Amino acid sequence: QSALTQEASVSGTVGQKVTLSCTGNSLNIGSFAVGWYRQISHGAPKTVMFGNSPPSGIPDRFSGSKSGTTASLTISGLQAEDEADYYCSTWDYSLSAVVFGGGTKLTVL
Amino acid sequence: EVQLVQSGSEVKKPGTKVKISCKVFGYTFTDSYLHWVRQAPGKGLEWLGLVDPEDGETIYAKNFQGRVTISADTSTDTAYMELSSLRSDDTAVYYCAPARAETPFNIWGQGTMVTVSS
């Protein structure tokens, strides 16, 4: 069981806006920046959001936000190439460890 | 350009140990902690621990304490992860990733496949 909770699956059509969520508690998401990672066919993860900022090279269709103990990754103008598994992570103060969500499989219909 | 280059695939027998490396390029090695994360086939990402290359201090995930040793060699800008008493469920791809204290990962190594099989 993961310390952070993500939807198991989310789907959307090309051009649509989708939001993935990542829920934790006050000692992890409530206190520290959240990272979001895209993984295609179990290749190496690629960071798509670092806190609320996308790394260079990530299209501005990707945006991140946080409210209390829930972080969100929003993809606007969904494209077929966005189909992937997405994971969130952050530092957990009580565990003194990095914690991950279980991952969300994003399907582009 | 920041790059992380990991050592190649390994096949090990149960009960033995494996040591994999992660050589960093393009940033000051001692500026960030170096983390290790793994992914078993069909499973999610799992954190093993980190090393602070500045002073060698480590933090390990509870699930791996006693079995994992993470170290850093500042003379070669290389970090290492050794996992002992290997079991079949240690079969996974192992990734290294640098990050400053309590911040997310911005870049990842290419991964090292470790297969544990008799």
Side-chain angles (χ1 to χ4, degrees):
Chain A
Q1 194 165 356
S2 305
L4 306 179
T5 301
Q6 298 183 249
E7 302 93 346
S9 63
V10 169
S11 62
T13 55
V14 172
Q16 194 176 8
K17 180 170 79 172
V18 295
T19 298
L20 283 57
S21 69
C22 175
T23 300
N25 61 40
S26 60
L27 297 176
N28 47 53
I29 290 182
S31 298
F32 301 102
V34 176
W36 288 89
Y37 317 104
R38 176 173 65 195
Q39 192 175 38
I40 298 173
S41 300
H42 276 275
K46 181 178 176 68
T47 301
V48 295
M49 196 59 55
F50 182 88
N52 291 340
S53 302
S56 66
I58 299 300
D60 58 10
R61 304 185 290 105
F62 287 78
S63 62
S65 64
K66 185 169 69 169
S67 177
T69 58
T70 297
S72 300
L73 176 72
T74 297
I75 309 173
S76 305
L78 197 61
Q79 298 186 6
E81 70 218 40
D82 298 329
E83 184 163 290
D85 294 324
Y86 289 83
Y87 294 89
C88 59
S89 83
T90 190
W91 183 257
D92 187 293
Y93 180 80
S94 64
L95 298 174
S96 288
V98 171
V99 291
F100 284 96
T104 295
K105 183 174 181 60
L106 174 62
T107 302
V108 182
L109 303 169
Chain B
E1 180 194 358
V2 175
Q3 279 190 59
L4 304 152
V5 179
Q6 298 185 220
S7 49
S9 300
E10 302 265 9
V11 178
K12 294 291 182 182
K13 295 210 180 299
T16 63
K17 59 185 171 186
V18 66
K19 187 172 185 176
I20 56 182
S21 67
C22 170
K23 185 169 173 62
V24 312
F25 299 89
Y27 75 94
T28 302
F29 187 45
T30 51
D31 275 357
S32 295
Y33 298 160
L34 201 294
H35 299 247
W36 289 90
V37 175
R38 78 177 187 181
Q39 185 172 41
K43 303 289 188 184
L45 299 171
E46 182 178 28
W47 183 75
L48 285 81
L50 65 84
V51 61
D52 180 352
E54 176 95 53
D55 57 13
E57 293 257 326
T58 53
I59 299 176
Y60 300 131
K62 280 202 172 81
N63 286 350
F64 297 96
Q65 279 177 1
R67 283 212 302 145
V68 69
T69 303
I70 298 174
S71 58
D73 182 345
T74 56
S75 70
T76 58
D77 288 354
T78 302
Y80 299 91
M81 191 284 299
E82 182 175 81
L83 190 62
S84 61
S85 302
L86 289 169
R87 311 184 289 250
S88 58
D89 61 1
D90 291 318
T91 293
V93 179
Y94 290 75
Y95 298 99
C96 61
R100 296 198 168 168
E102 301 160 357
T103 62
F105 308 121
N106 204 3
I107 191 164
W108 299 71
Q110 86 274 21
T112 297
M113 181 72 212
V114 174
T115 303
V116 182
S117 174
S118 54

